[in-house]
Amino acid sequence: MPRPDRRHWASIPSSVLNIEACLTSGQTFLWNRTESGRYILATESFLAWLEPHDDGFWWATWPTDRWDMLERFFALDVDLAGLYADWTERDPGFNAYIAACPGLRILRQNPETTLIDFVCSSCNNVERIQGMIRRLAGAVGTECACPWADSQRLHPRLTTLTLLSEDDLRKLGFGYRARYLVQLSRLGLDFTSLAGLPRAKVRASLMRLPGVGPKVADCIRLFGFGHDDAVPVDTHLRRYITSRLVPSLAARSMTSRTYESLADAFRGIMGPYSGWAQQYVYAFQRRTLRSPQCKER
């Protein structure tokens, strides 16, 4: 992969921004890693070339020189050291989760593309979701006149999905999710208006959409709407909560009521950035328990 002509150095250590952890922790799916450790990231509006090192990273964007896009995407305004201090005061044992993945951040993404991504996450794992989104971008993503990423396309929007039929999507490997994506592409959703609603109403509105249940809605809120206290509950987080915080919930079947109880328990203990904290639990358990059951998003 050629290097871009105009590269910039950001002296932000990996303990503050761990690019690899951010990209591989099941938050975003349209990226590629070279054997030399460089990353090409595609969103709906820009491409980024990233070469991380312990003491900082080289970067380039297309359109060029858009540090503001990277700064927002990686949520660099959030003080991780402050979060670490708060979390370990709330749960001293959380140090192990921080130490396993320092520099992990919640990514600030477009709510429309997170809707597409996480509708695909149901009964799925990270590697398969990546393949689906890459095939989708290859089919209808915007082509980029970028010499260092000439084969990479931008993440499709819902409007571009109207170019595909349900049968087209099934041939791309989307299975039953193809029907949901076709339905979503025809709704004419107004994400700007949705973002202006109270958080509870955003969640309720999302859960009325095809293919969106409680966990998918919470993923979209956390990664797409910046709701830092949104807590997607999966098997990883449930294991953490029931083993460390609220053992009485361990015997309950995973009903919607149990889901809400688990999320509320974690949020009540870990505080206003509990959505960030759950990502550390997810990343830690996914790295240490590498069985297929532990790869779900």
Side-chain angles (χ1 to χ4, degrees):
M1 180 181 68
R3 295 185 179 187
D5 293 332
R6 299 179 65 176
R7 294 182 301 148
H8 306 276
W9 174 255
S11 55
I12 300 174
S14 60
S15 59
V16 175
L17 171 58
N18 187 328
I19 291 172
E20 179 183 2
C22 290
L23 298 184
T24 62
S25 63
Q27 301 184 61
T28 192
F29 303 98
L30 197 54
W31 55 268
N32 292 289
R33 184 183 186 276
T34 70
E35 291 184 359
S36 60
R38 298 167 186 154
Y39 292 87
I40 294 287
L41 164 70
T43 74
E44 81 294 342
S45 57
F46 72 93
L47 298 177
W49 181 96
L50 303 162
E51 184 181 307
H53 299 271
D54 288 342
D55 58 343
F57 60 95
W58 292 101
W59 66 273
T61 60
W62 182 90
T64 58
D65 304 334
R66 293 299 304 270
W67 172 253
D68 59 310
M69 290 180 165
L70 289 180
E71 189 174 33
R72 184 187 184 282
F73 184 81
F74 287 113
L76 293 179
D77 60 311
V78 175
D79 174 23
L80 277 186
L83 293 187
Y84 295 164
D86 182 52
W87 292 340
T88 52
E89 182 176 347
R90 294 169 180 270
D91 175 13
F94 208 78
N95 262 325
Y97 294 84
I98 296 169
C101 217
L104 174 61
R105 292 175 171 273
I106 292 297
L107 304 176
R108 289 187 179 143
Q109 302 176 73
N110 182 289
E112 185 177 349
T113 57
T114 56
L115 172 61
I116 294 170
D117 289 353
F118 286 95
V119 162
C120 296
S121 72
S122 178
C123 301
N124 216 341
N125 62 51
V126 170
E127 290 76 13
R128 287 185 62 200
I129 302 167
Q130 283 179 305
M132 293 163 74
I133 300 303
R134 287 170 181 167
R135 291 192 295 274
L136 191 64
V140 293
T142 300
E143 294 187 51
C144 306
C146 180
W148 44 264
D150 56 0
S151 62
Q152 181 64 65
R153 298 187 178 208
L154 295 180
H155 195 299
R157 308 288 289 262
L158 286 174
T159 51
T160 56
L161 295 193
T162 58
L163 300 172
L164 299 174
S165 66
E166 181 177 337
D167 187 55
D168 291 332
L169 287 164
R170 287 184 178 274
K171 288 177 180 177
L172 289 172
F174 284 81
Y176 67 88
R177 306 168 192 88
R179 175 166 53 90
Y180 297 143
L181 292 176
V182 168
Q183 291 171 342
L184 289 167
S185 71
R186 295 171 178 171
L187 291 177
L189 297 171
D190 183 351
F191 290 93
T192 301
S193 297
L194 187 58
L197 297 176
R199 294 187 177 193
K201 289 189 176 181
V202 172
R203 188 173 192 260
S205 297
L206 289 171
M207 288 177 61
R208 288 194 289 269
L209 298 177
V212 179
K215 188 175 78 171
V216 170
D218 288 332
C219 286
I220 297 167
R221 291 200 304 128
L222 179 61
F223 305 128
F225 284 94
H227 294 183
D228 297 320
D229 63 344
V231 178
V233 178
D234 59 10
T235 55
H236 309 290
L237 192 66
R238 184 182 187 185
R239 185 181 300 114
Y240 175 88
I241 295 169
T242 56
S243 64
R244 297 179 55 82
L245 306 179
V246 192
S248 61
L249 293 174
R252 293 190 188 180
S253 58
M254 194 57 161
T255 62
S256 58
R257 184 175 180 179
T258 301
Y259 180 99
E260 302 301 337
S261 295
L262 289 164
D264 287 342
F266 190 77
R267 191 161 33 241
I269 291 170
M270 300 307 290
Y273 281 82
S274 50
W276 288 58
Q278 71 77 35
Q279 197 67 18
Y280 278 76
V281 175
Y282 173 80
F284 175 85
Q285 296 206 16
R286 185 169 180 261
R287 288 185 176 195
T288 56
L289 303 171
R290 298 297 293 182
S291 68
Q293 291 87 352
C294 296
K295 293 182 181 180
E296 73 170 68
R297 176 68 270 189

